Amino acid sequence: MLAVENLHVNYGAIKALQNVSCRVEAGEIVALIGANGAGKTTILNAVSGIVPARSGRISFEGEEITGAPPHEIVRRGISQVPEGRRVFARMSVLENLEMGAYTRSDRQGVKREMERVFALFPRLAERRKQPARTLSGGEQQMLAMGRALMSTPRLLLLDEPSMGLAPMLVEKIFEIVREINGAGTTIMLVEQNASMALAIATRAYVLETGACVLQGKASELAADPQVRSAYLGE
Amino acid sequence: MLLQQLINGIALGSVYALIALGYTMVYGIIALINFAHGEIFMAGAFVGLIAVTRFHLNIFLAMLAAMAVCTVMGVVIERIAYRPLRRSSRLSALISAIGVSIFLSSLALMLFGADAKPFPDTAFPVRQIHMAGAEISSLQLLIIGVSALLMLGLEFIVRRTKIGKAMRAVSEDYQTAALMGIDVNRVISFTFAIGSALAGAGGVLVGLLFNAVSFNMGLMAGLKAFAAAVLGGIGSIPGAMLGGLFLGVTEVLGVAAGYSSYRDAIAFAILILVLLVKPTGLLGRAIQKKV
Ligand SMILES: Nc1ncnc2c1ncn2[C@@H]1O[C@H](COP(=O)(O)OP(=O)(O)O)[C@@H](O)[C@H]1O
Ligand SMILES: [Mg+2]
């Protein structure tokens, strides 16, 4: 479904990604794990088209999307929940969701999707009129996820959805990620919480300083002694 | 007497507010002080004048023509003078803006000459209307009415329409807005279009108010409107409205109190005072880095 081939990304003189390749097949949850600064966010942002690839190729459902503008990529069916949630703080919950549906013009579809989001996150329905800044961290994460779902993506990119949340909420968020996947949305999941990510993922890639160093079935990586000592705190 | 000055001040302040909105919206979205905005306002005044004198349009149609021409100007200026510099330093875009401003006022000087030109008396019949011990002229009513209508329209666009909400999203966080599928460049063009249209209407109203249209009218009006935008909190739409009215009223009161030779200094003195006390302006908040 998604294929990233030999991707290089620079920020000025900083080489953020060097020759990274990865794939996501339809229906999977693919985890990207790695330390802070490894380049996980950069991969997602390159796929979303908000950072340019210096070289390499990104294709989605068989068509090349390298260099396409971000709005074109959303239209093709990829949406992102950015790191740190980044809800529009001064806009209401409802308006945030509307922004997630910006590329669509089918009112019925938007309405249906909004009902689905409210069913998934009932708290958002209760707070629909409130400015997003008044929500708690967990609620903001739910809003960021709901917002990304509003375009009915076929591929959802999630960047550290558990960051800064209390353990109980983390469980809940991972449960919802699984639920979204179960309903047919393919997921690429970036996480620092490697054990949780590996527990729900089908496959995973391990990133180190801009390069992919390991890949495989999530269950196999979770059993790998190297991974266990470096990322699972053992 | 005070009521009279208040009416005069509100009329003047409404046009400051109209112009200030363009500064504040553009700043809110790309953190650029659009120095050419005053010249767009000047161009609007000339378009209005020509529409009335050459094409014998009534004042409302003339205002619409000015708004249309200014819309196109604003969009074109952004496209050729600012967009290519968006990834460069903030200073380059600012210098480019100053360049456009000088270019436009020189062009107007070349085309229309140095003398200020009046609107013909027939452009808008001015009558005095007595009410509650004060006099309000039909022109002041026109200015206040048109400004209020345009600001309500703007408020509607920004609060209720899809593109208006996208403007707010881009001004909060342009990168996340792009992730939502918002075409940020289109939103920026739209912002210039709206701001310039308001300046165009403001140009015609100021031309009528002072009965003078000249190539350099954009400079002082632009500076004062910019002061109004900063006073209200640059980036804040209600701030620009409040700042404009506040400035108009204090300027008129200052003149009435006998400080007419300091007329133009009043705006800037107030600006400095407010910024000393509240650096973000009356309704402003600290803003993040922009596009
Ligand atoms: N906007 C940026 N400008 C410069 N360097 C950046 C920028 N974003 C990320 N980097 C650098 O690129 C590398 C990868 O960052 P990132 O993709 O955010 O890593 P991760 O998400 O794995 O923590 C890091 O060295 C980081 O400092
Ligand atoms: Mg990251």
Side-chain angles (χ1 to χ4, degrees), chain A residues 48 50 70-71 74 80 82 86-91 95 98-104 147, chain B residues 159 162-163 165-166 168-173 175-183 187 285:
Chain A
S48 285
I50 59 173
H71 52 96
V74 175
Q80 190 192 132
R86 310 217 359 208
V87 295
F88 300 112
R90 303 200 295 271
M91 298 172 77
E95 286 171 335
E98 285 169 11
M99 290 300 100
Y102 192 79
T103 52
R104 340 177 42 146
R147 185 178 65 177
Chain B
R159 295 281 142 212
K162 193 167 173 177
I163 184 87
K165 290 174 191 175
R168 282 154 59 207
V170 171
S171 84
E172 272 203 47
D173 182 343
Q175 205 177 41
T176 305
L179 280 181
M180 298 302 109
I182 295 170
D183 183 343
V187 171
R285 35 180 111 66

Side-chain angles (χ1 to χ4, degrees), chain A residues 88-93 96 127 129-135:
Chain A
F88 300 112
R90 303 200 295 271
M91 298 172 77
S92 70
V93 167
N96 268 273
R127 288 160 204 257
K129 294 264 155 57
Q130 274 176 235
R133 79 178 117 78
T134 63
L135 303 184

Side-chain angles (χ1 to χ4, degrees), chain A residues 11 14 16 34-43 83 159-160 190 192:
Chain A
Y11 296 107
I14 302 168
N36 217 338
K40 306 178 297 292
T41 298
T42 304
I43 295 186
E83 184 176 342
D159 199 345
E160 310 221 17
V190 162
Q192 295 231 22

